[in-house]
Amino acid sequence: MDISTDLIRCEIGDDFVATVTMAAEPVNAQSQPFHDQMMQVFDTLSDLPEARAVLLCSAFKHFSAGAEIKDRAKSKRGAGDHWQHSRRARECFHSIMECRIPVVAAVGGAALGAGLALVASADIIVCADDASIGLPEINVGLAGGGRHCMRLFGHSRTRRMMFTGMRVSGEECYRLGVAEACVPRDQLIPTAHAIAAEIASKSPVAVEIAKHSANTFEEMSLRDGYRFEQTMTWELGKSEDSKEAMLAFAEKRKPVFKGR
């Protein structure tokens, strides 16, 4: 099934990994069509059983340079346009966060402003050694992105990035535990794809519940979050995949998951 658009390409492999490639030339600047098409692709993937993990990457040197500033500087907005733009951007990022299946971001080159928000909306991050993540809004008369930045970095680093436009390298992201790996550019996609493929090899029922749980308990207290996880574990235990996983473990064989 081809769900690609003119700005966002998507290909689902035999290993159940959907490779989503941003292709808005030249730097994946985020416009209204970009946001609309990202939402369309990710919402569709949530309904496709043949997709069990997503690899999010760029067709170009840079991951995403952020909002389309040139168009914004020239445009004259009417009543309600600001609210519509803000809502569209929020929902674009949340379509990634709320996608039924986990998303692995392969970050090469610059991921700035709204590009950082795309990275922070993914579940797992792999950086190339030329990656650069930052919030340049302070330098272009804008604000925003700090809350997404807080999902990646600590208190002091987030505020320094917000107040100065400081960029963080892929190597530093790995040192800080923000990224799972920092690899040479030619190893970026293979490394990220290997992680996505490993996720896709697990029970899709278990992975979906795990992602739903992680998204939910992130904003909860320890007690409430663990209680929620316990409820989800009970729900998972009723599935065929759960029974197959336990039986395969006891029989010392590889499980065969059916997604039920």
Side-chain angles (χ1 to χ4, degrees), residues 1-41:
M1 180 180 182
D2 185 8
I3 62 172
S4 297
T5 68
D6 60 327
L7 299 180
I8 311 296
R9 301 200 300 260
C10 181
E11 180 179 351
I12 303 175
D14 294 336
D15 57 0
F16 300 101
V17 174
T19 299
V20 175
T21 305
M22 298 178 288
E25 293 187 288
V27 292
N28 292 317
Q30 298 180 35
S31 59
Q32 176 178 337
F34 180 96
H35 287 152
D36 288 340
Q37 292 175 34
M38 283 285 279
M39 285 188 282
Q40 177 184 337
V41 168

Side-chain angles (χ1 to χ4, degrees), residues 8 17 27 36 45 56 71 82 88 117 131 145 161 166 188 240:
I8 311 296
V17 174
V27 292
D36 288 340
L45 285 173
L56 176 62
D71 287 350
H82 160 73
R88 188 180 301 109
M161 292 170 71
M166 170 192 182
L188 176 62
E240 291 182 27

Side-chain angles (χ1 to χ4, degrees), residues 158-238:
T158 293
R159 291 176 184 237
R160 183 178 176 187
M161 292 170 71
M162 290 178 66
F163 300 161
T164 69
M166 170 192 182
R167 299 187 186 188
V168 182
S169 69
E171 183 178 353
E172 179 73 350
C173 285
Y174 176 63
R175 188 187 73 82
L176 294 172
V178 171
E180 283 299 293
C182 178
V183 298
R185 184 60 185 252
D186 62 353
Q187 296 178 26
L188 176 62
I189 300 302
T191 301
H193 188 277
I195 294 174
E198 182 180 5
I199 294 170
S201 72
K202 308 300 181 182
S203 160
V205 178
V207 171
E208 182 177 351
I209 286 178
K211 175 158 184 178
H212 175 59
S213 296
N215 280 350
T216 303
F217 66 59
E218 183 176 358
E219 303 294 336
M220 289 181 167
S221 67
L222 173 61
R223 183 179 184 85
D224 290 340
Y226 187 51
R227 182 189 294 120
F228 180 83
E229 279 191 276
Q230 289 174 314
T231 301
M232 291 297 97
T233 298
W234 178 74
E235 291 289 342
L236 175 59
K238 295 185 289 185

Side-chain angles (χ1 to χ4, degrees), residues 19 44 78 94 125 142 161 194 227 246 254 256:
T19 299
T44 302
H94 276 82
I125 301 162
L142 298 172
M161 292 170 71
R227 182 189 294 120
M246 288 185 277
K254 185 177 180 179
V256 179

